[in-house]
Amino acid sequence: MVTKSCTLDRLSVRADEDSVVSDAGLLVAATLAQRLDLAGLLREHVTVPGSVGAHPDRKCLTVVHSLLAGGDCIDDVNALRAGSTSAVLGHRVAAPSTVGTFLRAFGFGHARQLDVVTRRLLTRAVTAGAHPQFGRSVTVDIDSTLCETFGLAKDGAREVMRTGRRGYHPLLAVISGTGDIAHARLRRGRSNDATAAPLFINETISRLRQAGATGQIVLRADSGFYLHDVVAACRAADVRFSIGARMIGHLRGQIEAIPDEQWQPIEYFLPGAGVAEIPYTPFAQDTHGRDRTDTVPLRLMVRRTPPTQAQVRNRGQDTDQAALFPVYDYHPIITDRDGDLRDLEADHRRHAEVELTIRDLKHGMGLAHLPTKSFGGNAAWLILNTIAHNLTRWITRLGFDQGHRMTKNIRRRVFNLAGRLVRTGRRTTLRLPSRWPWAHAIITAIKRLRDLPAATG
């Protein structure tokens, strides 16, 4: 039984403290953004016309820091205006109405200006040491995702998608092993998986080269990008590729004709899985049936997997019969890479890591929905989400010397930590809780980020 003296009713509550910083850990993110001169890049490249475009750095950084703190809509920037939070951000926090008006003023060309910012920001992050592997080979995963919206007011999302829902269909390029987003592009919901993919791939490769990727670049993608133009774009950019193939034409017959002795067993969650390869020339003819002159033979890797018990039941087979006469599932992949078949097939399966980044954007950042009616404003919202996402990844490596961490993990331990500003004479001190388990790591991270050289170029 709780005594009267211990009840929460006796706790007095007042809202009269101006020195409290509700998300004091944002100082870590703001410090890295300052070392990379993100504000300077925004002022230089973002030129939304009229008075609404004044101080684009403040408005964009307000959105970025709100996303880092856990905001997922425009109104959530109000949380940064409480207490003295702006003191750890390094800029004046814009009001929600200002941010909304600013985003709605974006055209698609203004969103492309933000693309220039992210291109140069990636180069500066690599220079700061965020990607030491860039001197060797780099693998980039290309994928698309569906961002559902509701209602008919959003430009580019009014039509029903193939899934029966409305929304947008952005393209993402994710650097393997890091979760960093090299490039992102918003598309209307009715776009196919590979709509504008060749141009997107060209720009992604250009970004990686500009950022310092001097070694071999490998591109991985699923069967949604199984197109002649995608392969041609990779070959033109001197990029190796590994792309899931579609089971069309006579391909299934060729795969089923592979002798059993050519199948090599692999480590897989389904016992009995194996891989084999055959020479194959994809896209030998165009859509009109004419022979192409620019096609070359490639390696066709095939993974076959036995059916699960659920698939056996769905097919109406007896379990013993299925064991004697299994109907395999086949997963073909085209590649121009050299190396051991099993190693290459296992590496292609790691393309699934891109889904972790998409999950982090939707459930860790604010990409669960797009907030404005303007297509350009929503395109800008996507890019600002990728900036916030990348800052979190770079902070983890440069500040905390750790590998991959989910955004929610860093937010709980770092960004959402409360503090208090204390001013004595000419010195201002941010005081953190004395028994916070990760306080020492946060202070160490701030020192490391402050020691980074100032960004140039």
Side-chain angles (χ1 to χ4, degrees):
M1 180 176 179
V2 180
T3 62
K4 185 66 175 177
S5 60
C6 295
T7 62
L8 295 178
D9 296 342
R10 300 180 63 87
L11 181 64
S12 177
V13 180
R14 300 166 62 183
D16 59 358
E17 180 60 72
D18 290 330
S19 61
V20 171
V21 181
S22 60
D23 298 294
L26 289 177
L27 174 62
V28 182
T31 299
L32 178 59
Q34 195 171 74
R35 301 312 292 168
L36 300 178
D37 193 21
L38 176 55
L41 291 177
L42 292 168
R43 287 192 299 268
E44 180 180 355
H45 295 289
V46 180
T47 58
V48 177
S51 59
V52 70
H55 305 294
D57 53 327
R58 295 181 186 174
K59 297 164 186 175
C60 290
L61 287 174
T62 295
V63 174
V64 168
H65 288 136
S66 175
L67 293 168
L68 291 172
D72 64 356
C73 64
I74 294 174
D75 277 348
D76 284 346
V77 305
N78 245 339
L80 301 179
R81 293 161 61 84
S84 297
T85 304
S86 61
V88 303
L89 302 181
H91 64 87
R92 183 177 176 181
V93 179
S97 58
T98 303
V99 171
T101 303
F102 177 66
L103 289 177
R104 287 190 293 273
F106 267 72
F108 187 70
H110 301 116
R112 294 288 286 152
Q113 293 173 352
L114 281 176
D115 276 339
V116 180
V117 172
T118 56
R119 171 190 281 264
R120 295 186 60 186
L121 193 65
L122 177 63
T123 302
R124 292 181 177 185
V126 173
T127 302
H131 287 277
Q133 84 278 15
F134 261 44
R136 305 184 297 274
S137 63
V138 177
T139 300
V140 60
D141 292 304
I142 306 296
D143 205 357
S144 60
T145 186
L146 299 177
C147 295
E148 188 174 10
T149 61
F150 303 90
L152 300 174
K154 295 185 184 294
D155 187 24
R158 297 186 180 95
E159 297 178 327
V160 177
M161 298 183 288
R162 66 178 185 274
T163 60
R165 298 175 293 174
R166 290 185 174 87
Y168 293 97
H169 198 182
L171 268 176
L172 297 170
V174 179
I175 301 173
S176 175
T178 66
D180 294 5
I181 299 173
H183 189 23
R185 178 70 57 81
L186 190 68
R187 302 177 302 173
R188 68 188 186 95
R190 294 278 290 178
S191 302
N192 295 323
D193 285 349
T195 298
L199 292 175
F200 182 82
I201 289 171
N202 286 336
E203 184 165 346
T204 299
I205 301 308
S206 174
R207 287 177 176 227
L208 296 177
R209 294 295 188 199
Q210 181 178 330
T214 56
Q216 182 64 63
I217 296 178
V218 177
L219 181 139
R220 299 185 302 207
D222 59 27
S223 59
F225 298 87
Y226 182 66
L227 288 177
H228 173 266
D229 291 346
V230 170
V231 172
C234 292
R235 293 178 58 196
D238 191 25
V239 171
R240 299 291 185 178
F241 56 86
S242 178
I243 302 172
R246 295 176 188 160
M247 200 77 74
I248 55 179
H250 302 289
L251 183 56
R252 185 176 187 89
Q254 295 181 49
I255 292 174
E256 291 178 339
I258 299 175
D260 284 342
E261 59 270 17
Q262 292 188 18
W263 291 98
Q264 304 177 34
I266 59 173
E267 293 184 7
Y268 199 69
F269 72 95
L270 290 175
V275 294
E277 73 168 294
I278 56 176
Y280 183 66
T281 304
F283 319 116
Q285 294 181 331
D286 60 19
T287 55
H288 300 288
R290 296 188 294 262
D291 292 337
R292 287 193 173 102
T293 59
D294 59 346
T295 56
V296 295
L298 299 172
R299 299 176 71 178
L300 180 75
M301 306 184 297
V302 185
R303 178 177 74 252
R304 74 173 185 179
T305 57
T308 63
Q309 293 298 322
Q311 290 173 323
V312 169
R313 289 192 297 269
N314 290 337
R315 292 168 181 168
Q317 285 182 288
D318 180 79
T319 303
D320 294 333
Q321 181 189 32
L324 289 173
F325 306 101
V327 180
Y328 289 103
D329 291 320
Y330 297 104
H331 307 272
I333 305 154
I334 58 170
T335 184
D336 64 345
R337 302 172 66 186
D338 299 323
D340 181 75
L341 171 63
R342 286 177 292 186
D343 291 340
L344 293 178
E345 190 278 331
D347 181 74
H348 180 82
R349 268 185 276 144
R350 286 191 281 272
H351 167 71
E353 294 174 357
V354 70
E355 300 296 342
L356 300 178
T357 298
I358 293 174
R359 179 196 63 183
D360 234 15
L361 280 173
K362 290 184 175 180
H363 303 292
M365 288 296 170
L367 204 62
H369 69 278
L370 286 300
T372 77
K373 298 179 181 179
S374 161
F375 184 88
N378 288 330
W381 179 264
L382 168 65
I383 298 172
L384 293 174
N385 269 266
T386 65
I387 292 175
H389 173 89
N390 285 345
L391 283 176
T392 305
R393 294 289 171 271
W394 299 335
I395 287 166
T396 303
R397 292 195 291 273
L398 296 174
F400 295 93
D401 195 23
Q402 296 180 358
H404 179 75
R405 288 290 184 274
M406 289 182 61
T407 298
K408 289 185 177 180
N409 181 286
I410 299 299
R411 178 178 296 130
R412 178 69 182 91
R413 298 183 178 190
V414 182
F415 297 153
N416 290 153
L417 173 61
R420 185 163 62 91
L421 287 179
V422 178
R423 296 177 175 85
T424 55
R426 298 182 180 180
R427 188 175 185 84
T428 302
T429 303
L430 176 63
R431 305 192 66 173
L432 304 178
S434 59
R435 289 188 292 274
W436 187 251
W438 305 281
H440 177 72
I442 292 173
I443 295 172
T444 302
I446 293 172
K447 291 179 180 178
R448 286 178 176 174
L449 296 176
R450 286 175 175 173
D451 289 339
L452 293 176
T456 57

